[in-house]
Amino acid sequence: MIKAAVDDGRAHGLVLGRRIGDRVETAAAGLRGPGGAALTAATPFPVASITKPATATLLHALAARGALDLDAPVLHGASPRSLLRHTGGVGPGWRGDLAALGHGDDALARYAERTDLIEPLGASWSYGNPGYWLAGHHAAVAAGTSFEEALREHVLAPAGMEGADCRPWADDPTALAHDDTDPRRSSYLAMPRARVPSGGMRATVADVLAFAAATWPGGVFGELGVLGSGADTAYAEAYGGRLWGPGWEAWRAADGTIVAGHSGVYGGFRTRLWSVPARRTAVAVLAVGKGSENTVLGLALRAVEATTGLIEPPLESGPMREPLSGYAGVYARDTARHEVEADGESLRVRTVDPATGESSVVTARPLAGDAFLTEGTHAPGRHVEFLRGADGTITHIRPGLVAARRIG
């Protein structure tokens, strides 16, 4: 399965792992990057946003020790619990030069001092990184150390994640799986320290599976309420029947079983974790190769189905909040311009790269609320979502995970 994906060029290299109870099975195919060494199951990957469930676990672990209050307001009335669930009204971006915060241990504290630069969207649910940066700061304060050391002490070590770390990678960036012929260009040295709680962890496939197992009932984090055994109380509705818990995306199979997970995208890496606590089963796919999101998601879903028999249901449709014409307009950010037109019973979204002038067009059909389903694609780019400001007006478009502000 993974060898075929490498052979036909969908990825430079892939690692697939499956854990059933205490039994772990892994397979690897391809290279660490163009012209690189062969991948093995022991190759560490930047797992990007799979870091978020680990960050959420850290805050819940500190709260269980009485060191942190998950429900205390920390930003415009939003609490750490709501920030971890993406329900705190925080926007997807930050109005400032994040790189200026640098790589020192004080970067998170410096970020937290400028909460006026955090975009206040007021949306009931909006996936984004800034809430995790702020939550990470509060975790570091509660632990009395750096975020990286707190995560290692309270999450990585107890979970048995022997090859995992989230300190900036300085010693040997060539040891990582990498899509760049010069790995220093995309190493974690280039990532501001403030971003680490949202996506700074590196781990092997066994580490990712060990973390999932630690959140199962009976696991070291099983009683924290981060994932649970499938109780609805752990999750909130996000869009189209998708659920969201503290750090975890989830869907419910036909028999009610919860499948929870997260994807990661960073530079030339694509990662996906699915966990089925009620079946004590987890699947992880780690890939090297830009543009391989659909490949990674498809492999992960097929592995879940083959292991458990569970099938992801289609997204649920429902009423829209606006006539289609209300979503039309021009939206822009530094790296993309989106021109949205109402076209019959769907939206036509033309995306232009300002640097090259190259463009692409997708058709987005109404799904529910402010979400549209994009034809022929899969998560995280499977839907186009519109975000609203505090006054209820549409302020952003998000085709996938990165949002652009409305300018016309």
Side-chain angles (χ1 to χ4, degrees):
M1 183 164 62
I2 59 174
K3 184 177 185 302
V6 170
D7 289 345
D8 65 18
R10 284 178 285 162
H12 295 302
L14 283 160
V15 177
L16 171 65
R18 180 174 67 173
R19 179 163 181 154
I20 304 174
D22 294 328
R23 188 175 82 252
V24 177
E25 302 169 350
T26 61
L31 306 177
R32 295 187 180 194
L39 273 178
T40 72
T43 302
F45 279 72
V47 296
S49 289
I50 290 179
T51 307
K52 289 183 174 71
T55 296
T57 299
L58 170 62
L59 270 84
H60 281 70
L62 292 170
R65 290 169 170 79
L68 183 146
D69 184 353
L70 287 173
D71 297 306
V74 296
L75 176 69
H76 307 311
S79 65
R81 191 187 304 276
S82 62
L83 294 175
L84 296 175
R85 292 169 178 253
H86 303 293
T87 58
V90 174
W94 192 58
R95 302 168 181 162
D97 181 9
L98 190 61
L101 297 177
H103 307 289
D105 285 341
D106 64 341
L108 276 177
R110 292 168 62 193
Y111 165 78
E113 290 172 355
R114 296 303 311 274
T115 55
D116 58 303
L117 295 176
I118 299 175
E119 290 182 306
L121 278 186
S124 60
W125 184 88
S126 175
Y127 184 95
N129 291 322
Y132 270 76
W133 306 337
L134 188 58
H137 163 71
H138 286 281
V141 171
T145 185
S146 69
F147 172 82
E148 293 91 339
E149 291 303 323
L151 191 73
R152 177 197 293 272
E153 177 182 351
H154 297 287
V155 178
L156 305 185
M161 300 169 67
E162 298 178 357
D165 206 339
C166 72
R167 293 172 299 181
W169 188 257
D171 298 332
D172 184 10
T174 60
L176 289 166
H178 218 286
D179 192 50
D180 199 321
T181 53
D182 182 356
R184 291 170 297 181
R185 281 197 288 261
S186 293
S187 76
Y188 280 175
L189 291 177
M191 175 182 284
R193 186 71 66 92
R195 291 175 56 188
V196 169
S198 70
M201 187 167 68
R202 62 183 181 273
T204 66
V205 70
D207 291 324
V208 172
L209 295 172
F211 172 69
T215 65
W216 296 340
V220 66
F221 305 127
E223 302 306 316
L224 293 182
V226 179
L227 188 55
S229 60
D232 293 348
T233 54
Y235 301 96
E237 184 79 10
Y239 61 89
R242 304 297 289 198
L243 309 173
W244 206 273
W248 295 85
E249 175 193 9
W251 47 270
R252 185 183 291 105
D255 65 354
T257 300
I258 288 288
V259 181
H262 213 295
S263 62
V265 178
Y266 177 74
F269 307 104
R270 304 292 185 267
T271 60
R272 167 57 74 171
L273 166 67
W274 285 122
S275 176
V276 190
R279 304 286 184 89
R280 297 182 59 79
T281 298
V283 167
V285 179
L286 313 180
V288 192
K290 294 179 180 178
S292 57
E293 294 98 326
N294 290 349
T295 298
V296 170
L297 178 67
L299 289 171
L301 287 175
R302 287 200 294 276
V304 169
E305 181 179 353
T307 303
T308 66
L310 301 175
I311 300 174
E312 182 188 28
L315 297 178
E316 297 175 4
S317 60
M320 305 303 296
R321 292 184 63 185
E322 296 261 351
L324 291 188
S325 59
Y327 300 99
V330 178
Y331 303 77
R333 61 190 302 270
D334 292 343
T335 56
R337 175 186 173 94
H338 307 284
E339 301 167 358
V340 181
E341 299 177 354
D343 185 12
E345 297 182 352
S346 62
L347 295 180
R348 182 176 182 272
V349 184
R350 180 173 181 263
T351 300
V352 182
D353 183 334
T356 65
E358 296 180 355
S359 65
S360 60
V361 178
V362 297
T363 297
R365 299 194 179 280
L367 177 62
D370 289 321
F372 292 74
L373 190 64
T374 304
E375 295 182 340
T377 61
H378 293 280
R382 80 165 107 208
H383 71 287
V384 173
E385 184 186 16
F386 292 83
L387 307 178
R388 296 177 182 268
D391 63 356
T393 60
I394 296 172
T395 58
H396 290 76
I397 186 176
R398 184 171 56 213
L401 297 183
V402 180
R405 183 175 294 278
R406 190 171 196 165
I407 61 172

